[in-house]
Amino acid sequence: AIGREASLSSPEERLRQLGFELPDLPPTPVGNFANSVLIGSLLYISGQGPVTVDGRLMTGKVGDGVSVAEAYGHARLAGLNLLAVARRQTGDLASIRRVVKLFGMVNATPDVAEHPQVINGCSDLRTEVFGAGGVQARSAVGMGALPNNITVEIEAIFEIRND
C-alpha cells in the first residue's frame, strides 16, 4: 500500500523514488499496429514486453530456465514500457486518473501455475506509482509462446483525466 508520502508526489517522482527512469521513446511496435489508441477518456495500450532501455529483450519460458521471481521482474519492466507509452500519448503520467485493466500473458511451460504471481510485477508497480488508482481489473494467463520468445507481454487500459 502507498502511504501518505505517495499522495504528495507525482507518478513520475514516485518512479524516480523507486529507482526507475522511463525511456524517452517507448519500444517500437513489432507489427502493423499502434502502441496506443485514445478513445474519449480511455487509453488502450497494446501489449508491451520486457524490453530494456537499451533494446534488450528478456526471453525464455517460465518453468524452463526462467524462474517466477525473474519473470516478476520482467513484468515490472513490461509495466515500465506501458507507462512510457502512456506518457508519450498523454505528455504526463499525472494525466492518468486510474488503471482500469491489465491483461498479462506469461510464456510458460504447461506445468507452471503461478501466472498471477508473475503479473504481480506489473500490478505491484501500478499501486506503487498510482496508489489506490493503480488497483485494476486484471487477467493473468499462461501461453505456449509469445512473440520473439519474450517471457511476458502485458496490455493495459488507463482512464485519462479530461479536466
Side-chain angles (χ1 to χ4, degrees):
I2 298 295
R4 180 169 138 40
E5 68 281 353
S7 65
L8 301 176
S9 59
S10 74
E12 296 207 32
E13 289 169 338
R14 288 192 290 280
L15 277 171
R16 281 191 290 280
Q17 290 166 0
L18 292 166
F20 296 116
E21 194 68 37
L22 294 181
D24 290 331
L25 293 174
T28 303
V30 296
N32 186 14
F33 61 91
N35 260 338
S36 63
V37 174
L38 181 62
I39 299 175
S41 64
L42 294 179
L43 177 61
Y44 296 82
I45 300 181
S46 296
Q48 297 295 309
V51 182
T52 63
V53 174
D54 62 2
R56 205 171 36 122
L57 295 173
M58 300 295 107
T59 60
K61 195 172 278 289
V62 179
D64 184 17
V66 177
S67 72
V68 169
E70 288 171 311
Y72 173 97
H74 299 173
R76 282 178 84 80
L77 184 54
L80 290 169
N81 289 324
L82 287 166
L83 292 177
V85 172
R87 182 177 67 187
R88 181 77 168 180
Q89 176 75 39
T90 64
D92 185 356
L93 293 180
S95 66
I96 295 173
R97 181 182 306 268
R98 71 167 295 113
V99 182
V100 176
K101 171 92 167 127
L102 291 180
F103 179 70
M105 297 161 272
V106 181
N107 186 0
T109 60
D111 59 318
V112 170
E114 293 89 355
H115 312 113
Q117 291 89 329
V118 169
I119 301 304
N120 277 346
C122 185
S123 293
D124 291 349
L125 180 67
R126 295 290 166 265
T127 56
E128 291 166 343
V129 172
F130 296 106
V135 178
Q136 75 282 310
R138 186 184 88 174
S139 299
V141 298
M143 300 289 182
L146 288 173
N148 297 314
N149 198 34
I150 57 175
T151 52
V152 297
E153 181 175 348
I154 305 172
E155 58 185 49
I157 303 170
F158 294 101
E159 181 185 13
I160 305 302
R161 298 181 196 287
N162 289 326
D163 33 272

